[in-house]
Amino acid sequence: MSDHHHIDHRDAPTTRIPRIDGAGAPEREPADRRDRERMPTLLEQMGGVPGIVASSVPVAVFVVVNLIGGLQPALIAALAAGVAVLVWRLVRRDPIQPAISGLFGVGICALVARQTGEARGFYLPGLLLSSFFALAAIVSMIVKWPLAGVIWNGLNARGTQWRQNPVLLRAYTLATGLLALVFASRVVVQGLLYDANAETWLGVARLAMGYPLLALAILATVLIVRRAESGAPRS
């Protein structure tokens, strides 16, 4: 009987060991989950991969229809494509904010094109926006508030302590330089095509230098920042 009690006492710690491990796991899981959530959050700002692809549809429709039927049908088709994307995301129950932003953007582009009476006017708002971002990125590097660092740490609610770390500051400056290069290249290439009134090639350049090029810059930014964060001493 006393032996039996002794075995029970030995068993008790073994039933506790899984509990201790189980108690440790929940402490790690939230951190893991938070890390996993960070990357989709950046991607989801643009509606995920389907949202990124769908947001290019109105521009592609405008380019094709303008080539075939002229400015007026192209404007109507681009706006219809923007509405179709919004409805598609509603039906799929995807976040509609990116689609609403996209439709709003297409509406502004269509309005400018209609006012100017030129198909190239459709691309003018995007060209001006790229100029603004290129300038903002360059100025942010000069004043040592690199845009990539501000956005990255803003999204992850990490404050501004990264600016005190020379390794991180250098990494964010390099990443911001890449973003500045993307936006500046858009301004140069698309600006030249705009001046030449090469509306079809302007549309092709807008698609090619849009999300694909920005996605490469963001991927490079993530790799640069992650590498710097893993090697940077923590204060």
Side-chain angles (χ1 to χ4, degrees):
M1 283 281 280
S2 63
D3 278 350
H4 197 27
H5 271 312
H6 210 43
I7 291 163
D8 280 346
H9 271 298
R10 261 193 220 136
D11 283 349
T14 44
T15 51
R16 271 186 217 131
I17 289 168
R19 277 185 205 147
I20 292 164
D21 286 346
E27 284 178 27
R28 282 179 198 167
E29 268 171 29
D32 285 358
R33 268 188 219 131
R34 263 180 250 123
D35 285 343
R36 270 189 232 121
E37 278 171 54
R38 267 175 211 146
M39 273 195 63
T41 303
L42 287 167
L43 189 60
E44 279 167 16
Q45 298 298 314
M46 292 145 74
V49 174
I52 289 171
V53 173
S55 64
S56 301
V57 170
V59 178
V61 167
F62 179 85
V63 172
V64 174
V65 177
N66 181 60
L67 199 59
I68 298 165
L71 178 59
Q72 200 62 30
L75 293 177
I76 295 166
L79 287 168
V83 172
V85 168
L86 177 57
V87 171
W88 177 63
R89 291 188 72 82
L90 276 168
V91 168
R92 285 170 52 89
R93 295 184 180 174
D94 290 335
I96 61 166
Q97 193 272 330
I100 291 171
S101 301
L103 183 57
F104 180 71
V106 169
I108 290 174
C109 292
L111 183 64
V112 172
R114 194 169 181 277
Q115 289 297 107
T116 59
E118 296 179 319
R120 66 176 183 168
F122 185 84
Y123 308 106
L124 186 57
L127 196 53
L128 293 174
L129 200 60
S130 290
S131 303
F132 170 77
F133 281 128
L135 188 62
I138 292 165
V139 169
S140 75
M141 288 189 290
I142 293 168
V143 299
K144 297 194 186 302
W145 278 88
L147 207 56
V150 173
I151 293 168
W152 182 280
N153 289 280
L155 283 171
N156 294 311
R158 290 185 189 167
T160 59
Q161 285 194 329
W162 55 274
R163 293 188 67 247
Q164 314 306 319
N165 189 314
V167 176
L168 289 179
L169 186 60
R170 207 177 306 123
Y172 287 125
T173 303
L174 177 59
T176 304
L178 282 174
L179 292 173
L181 192 61
V182 167
F183 291 117
S185 66
R186 283 184 190 174
V187 173
V188 171
V189 174
Q190 293 175 38
L192 288 170
L193 291 169
Y194 184 89
D195 284 340
N197 203 14
E199 55 196 45
T200 302
W201 284 110
L202 182 54
V204 171
R206 165 79 177 266
L207 288 168
M209 302 181 80
Y211 284 121
L213 201 57
L214 188 60
L216 283 175
I218 290 172
L219 178 63
T221 297
V222 170
L223 293 174
I224 290 166
V225 170
R226 288 233 168 124
R227 185 172 178 180
E229 283 183 341
S230 64
R234 291 179 188 180
S235 48

